Amino acid sequence: MREPLLDKLDRKIGRFALRHLMTIIVIGTAIVWLVDYIVWLRSGISISDYIRFDKNAILRGQVWRLVTFIFDFTGESPFTLLLSLYFYWFVGSSLERQWGSFKFDVFYFCGVLGTIGGGFIAETATVDYLNLSLFLAFALLYPNHMVLLFFFIPIKMKWLALIDLVGLTLLFVFNSFAGRLAIAVALINITVFFIGGLIRKWIAYRRKKKWQKGIYVVEDTPKVKKRKQRDDDPFEL
């Protein structure tokens, strides 16, 4: 079978990958939010105004916004900040452990590039929906992983992902053009990244079914009782 392109690139240049990417983003976002809050209390100036994505400001030479907007947190509550950053760190780090640093970097930075491209069309951009797409990617890999909703309601990731998709659909319908574009970029990024693996699994499944049809034609072939397979969930005890 032909080696997937990402696997080939990972083998050749994977050693240059940026490791612990989500940890870096989470720490950077927390520092920016804290400094922004302190400066705002003392002077009434918001640092976020100088780091968030702004097409016109970028075209005037403020090119640092192409990077710094990744660390711009749009919420105001410290509780929301801590909860969101923990969620991003947990899901992002889990994906990096599963895929490897190189593949995770490709996934996230492709989403960032798509968000930047959408930002130049809509004149503004945010990584909020890109970070939420990490949740969908995690659910695709570990659909039966249990989490505690509101810290006490056990629920599987696949059901949370379904709720997330419904919410994103409603946001897409009722959101502004910039919001719709950001949601579309995040979903396209997931689709492009997973479509190859899904196609390969489907081809392998069809080949397996054809093989089984050819191997089980003999009547006195002993039937082998199939054991129920568990999902490959590294978090399950």
Side-chain angles (χ1 to χ4, degrees), residues 119-137:
F120 277 105
I121 297 174
E123 299 190 354
T124 185
T126 175
V127 292
D128 290 348
Y129 297 113
L130 173 60
N131 289 335
L132 284 176
S133 72
L134 299 176
F135 174 81
L136 295 178

Side-chain angles (χ1 to χ4, degrees), residues 178-226:
R180 291 176 183 175
L181 196 58
I183 293 172
V185 166
L187 294 180
I188 289 173
N189 189 42
I190 287 184
T191 303
V192 170
F193 200 83
F194 278 91
I195 192 67
L198 292 176
I199 291 175
R200 286 193 297 271
K201 285 183 179 180
W202 172 250
I203 293 175
Y205 172 78
R206 292 296 301 272
R207 287 178 177 173
K208 181 180 179 181
K209 296 298 289 185
K210 289 180 180 179
W211 179 83
Q212 288 177 338
K213 287 180 180 179
I215 203 68
Y216 292 127
V217 278
V218 182
E219 293 184 358
D220 53 354
T221 301
K223 294 183 178 180
V224 179
K225 186 177 180 181
K226 295 182 179 180

Side-chain angles (χ1 to χ4, degrees), residues 8 11 13-15 23 27 39 69 73 88-89 109 117 137 145 149-150 167-168 199 223-224 234 237:
K8 186 183 298 184
R11 182 166 47 82
I13 59 175
R15 62 184 181 276
T23 301
I27 294 175
V39 171
F69 86 102
F73 182 74
Y88 296 152
W89 172 82
F109 285 127
H145 176 66
L149 182 64
F150 304 122
L168 287 175
I199 291 175
K223 294 183 178 180
V224 179
L237 298 178

Side-chain angles (χ1 to χ4, degrees), residues 15 52 67 69 97 114 176 186 196 203:
R15 62 184 181 276
R52 64 170 51 105
V67 176
F69 86 102
R97 284 195 299 270
S176 63
I203 293 175

Side-chain angles (χ1 to χ4, degrees), residues 156-168:
K156 291 184 177 181
M157 287 293 296
K158 59 184 177 182
W159 304 123
L160 281 179
L162 182 60
I163 296 172
D164 189 29
L165 280 175
V166 172
L168 287 175

Side-chain angles (χ1 to χ4, degrees), residues 62-77:
Q62 299 180 16
V63 293
W64 63 82
R65 293 175 182 264
L66 293 172
V67 176
T68 56
F69 86 102
I70 297 175
F71 303 99
D72 181 33
F73 182 74
T74 55
E76 297 181 356
S77 168

Side-chain angles (χ1 to χ4, degrees), residues 14-73:
R15 62 184 181 276
F16 301 112
L18 181 60
R19 305 185 185 282
H20 309 296
L21 174 61
M22 192 49 57
T23 301
I24 295 172
I25 292 175
V26 164
I27 294 175
T29 302
I31 293 174
V32 168
W33 188 90
L34 182 61
V35 172
D36 186 26
Y37 182 72
I38 294 174
V39 171
W40 181 79
L41 286 179
R42 295 195 173 191
S43 63
I45 299 174
S46 176
I47 294 179
S48 297
D49 292 338
Y50 299 94
I51 67 170
R52 64 170 51 105
F53 190 97
D54 186 320
K55 173 186 174 181
N56 295 325
I58 292 172
L59 294 178
R60 290 196 301 267
Q62 299 180 16
V63 293
W64 63 82
R65 293 175 182 264
L66 293 172
V67 176
T68 56
F69 86 102
I70 297 175
F71 303 99
D72 181 33
F73 182 74

